[in-house]
Amino acid sequence: MTTLKQFYGNWHYPTSIRAGIGRINELPSACQELSFKAPLLVTDPGLAALPMVKQVVSHLVGQGIHCQVFSAIKANPCEQNITDGVTAFLHGEHDGVIAFGGGSALDAGKAIALMVGQTRPLWDFEDIGDNFHRVNTDKMAKVIAIPTTSGTGAEVGRASVITDEQAHIKRIIFHPDMLPNIVILDAQLSVSLPKKLTAATGMDALSHALEAYCVPSFHPMAAGIALEAIRLIKEYLPRATANGHDIEARAQVMAAATMGATAFQRGLGAMHALAHPLGALYDSHHGLLNAILMPYVLKANEKVIAEKITRLSRYLSLERISFDGFFQWVLALRKQLAIPHSLQEIAIDACRANEIGMMAFNDPSAGGNPIAFSAQQYSDIFKKAVHGEC
């Protein structure tokens, strides 16, 4: 018999994680552990208006922890959002960051915590070469990360994806110490997530695990984590989408999202290389973009990943143990979750195909793809995704 206690645990990989229903109530003790007396809670405008955030703040204040909310961030956070967050942090004399919400809030919170003690501009810490050595680590703020969606896994990431609105690209800001100090995984916080967002964020988690599994670099620990994350998503994402109050499904998908992001320390690939420029140019939901792009990238990589995918299909107990069996399962899952089949269904056309191809080619995620696609090949994959030709 399933009990909620089954989904309760303290994990220390890759950081300190408190997983379990109701563990949001441990936030005051987590603040005390990190010596937070006046943290800044970073969230998105939608969550900031909900009782959930008000209750969290009230609970902290009731425990003598002065907490204020910063929520001026976009769905794809930009440099100005980080600048404004730093201003709020300094003006309020805060001593730590609570990043609360989906990927945008978590990425923004981590970037704000990085920037509160820096004298260089944000883009000086882009994940290029050894730029991370420029960071004054003594001045970074500590972070507690609390996801309310099950997709990005940003709670266990050492980077933030921030949109450069002037250049119309997404940049990855990186430092090893951006890994949050404490993570609280409480699936109860995700039960009100609408079906469409449950599906899109869950498919984002699948894209992380799947690309990490297919990366050719040697990291068997990450590959193993990715494998199990994919199984959990197969078993539980349809349930979580169909019934948001299925707490077992919610807990398993939330764990899978954290696992996917842990696994992609191994690298990502062409799905993300394309999704990043599309998100920057069209301000589209990152998880939805990955979900739509998935079969087109799988087909493009087929000749070098077929053996791996066949092993994966066996682990998932699919009816057909083959690349095509897995491919058909992905298509069926997308249909079951009402994911659009083509990019044109979300108002993205092929008019900027060459530009997007070059942007994908230059994206850092491209380095992990099993095939080193040219800019033209990325452009061709994009056009197939626009027209639904897979």
Side-chain angles (χ1 to χ4, degrees):
M1 180 178 178
T2 298
T3 65
L4 296 184
K5 202 68 175 176
Q6 287 180 251
F7 313 111
Y8 191 96
N10 294 330
W11 307 329
H12 298 279
Y13 181 70
T15 189
S16 176
I17 302 173
R18 303 177 183 187
I21 309 306
R23 298 201 74 175
I24 187 61
N25 294 323
E26 297 179 25
L27 180 55
S29 66
C31 288
Q32 291 163 4
E33 184 176 325
L34 298 179
S35 300
F36 289 0
K37 296 181 179 178
L40 180 68
L41 190 148
V42 178
T43 191
D44 63 70
L47 276 176
L50 295 180
M52 181 191 305
V53 169
K54 293 179 173 63
Q55 290 167 4
V56 167
V57 172
S58 178
H59 189 203
L60 288 170
V61 172
Q63 296 292 316
I65 299 169
H66 177 65
C67 178
Q68 292 182 326
V69 174
F70 174 78
S71 63
I73 57 173
K74 295 183 175 181
N76 291 295
C78 64
E79 181 185 18
Q80 189 61 51
N81 297 156
I82 309 309
T83 300
D84 292 344
V86 170
T87 299
F89 185 97
L90 297 175
H91 184 263
E93 298 182 345
H94 296 287
D95 55 10
V97 169
I98 300 170
F100 187 99
S104 59
L106 299 181
D107 274 356
K110 291 189 299 181
I112 291 166
L114 170 74
M115 291 302 296
V116 293
Q118 310 305 320
T119 56
R120 289 175 174 269
L122 179 66
W123 304 138
D124 276 10
F125 308 118
E126 185 177 3
D127 188 17
I128 298 174
D130 61 356
N131 280 354
F132 71 94
H133 287 305
R134 298 171 170 177
V135 172
N136 182 345
T137 55
D138 291 337
K139 298 291 186 179
M140 292 174 64
K142 293 182 179 180
V143 177
I144 298 171
I146 307 170
T148 60
T149 65
S150 302
T152 68
E155 65 274 7
V156 291
R158 301 168 298 169
S160 293
V161 181
I162 307 298
T163 300
D164 181 340
E165 293 187 315
Q166 292 186 333
H168 300 291
I169 59 175
K170 287 192 173 186
R171 300 187 188 274
I172 298 174
I173 308 302
F174 168 83
H175 192 278
D177 290 348
M178 289 178 73
L179 182 68
N181 303 85
I182 295 175
V183 173
I184 296 176
L185 292 184
D186 186 342
Q188 190 67 44
L189 300 176
S190 69
V191 296
S192 62
L193 195 68
K195 285 188 176 183
K196 286 186 177 180
L197 281 176
T198 300
T201 54
M203 289 296 291
D204 191 25
L206 176 59
S207 74
H208 294 156
L210 181 56
E211 290 209 296
Y213 176 71
C214 292
V215 168
S217 63
F218 182 69
H219 197 326
M221 291 181 290
I225 292 169
L227 198 66
E228 178 63 3
I230 295 168
R231 187 192 69 81
L232 291 176
I233 291 165
K234 172 182 178 288
E235 297 297 325
Y236 294 102
L237 179 58
R239 280 175 50 180
T241 303
N243 176 12
H245 291 278
D246 184 337
I247 198 65
E248 178 185 8
R250 288 288 194 186
Q252 297 282 19
V253 175
M254 183 169 277
T258 300
M259 292 166 68
T262 300
F264 77 59
Q265 291 182 22
R266 192 184 193 196
L268 290 168
M271 288 180 224
H272 283 78
L274 282 163
H276 287 154
L278 291 173
L281 293 171
Y282 296 96
D283 203 25
S284 300
H285 187 275
H286 176 72
L288 182 60
L289 288 170
N290 279 325
I292 296 172
L293 290 164
M294 189 173 293
Y296 307 98
V297 171
L298 278 169
K299 273 292 186 184
N301 282 322
E302 179 178 4
K303 66 181 181 181
V304 297
I305 65 171
E307 184 178 344
K308 280 186 175 181
I309 295 298
T310 298
R311 290 200 301 270
L312 173 59
S313 68
R314 182 175 294 108
Y315 185 70
L316 298 178
S317 300
L318 298 181
E319 290 185 9
R320 295 166 59 194
I321 309 301
S322 62
F323 175 90
D324 190 60
F326 180 80
F327 185 80
Q328 294 302 322
W329 170 73
V330 168
L331 293 179
L333 177 64
R334 289 159 85 248
K335 185 175 182 180
Q336 181 180 5
L337 300 180
I339 299 293
H341 183 62
S342 66
L343 290 172
Q344 64 186 355
E345 294 174 59
I346 60 168
I348 296 177
D349 60 32
C351 68
R352 303 178 77 168
N354 290 336
E355 177 186 4
I356 289 165
M358 182 57 69
M359 292 172 73
F361 174 76
N362 289 322
D363 190 89
S365 296
N369 199 67
I371 298 175
F373 293 133
S374 66
Q376 183 59 55
Q377 287 173 307
Y378 273 112
S379 178
D380 291 343
I381 295 168
F382 166 68
K383 286 186 283 189
K384 288 180 179 180
V386 168
H387 300 299
E389 299 170 350
C390 67

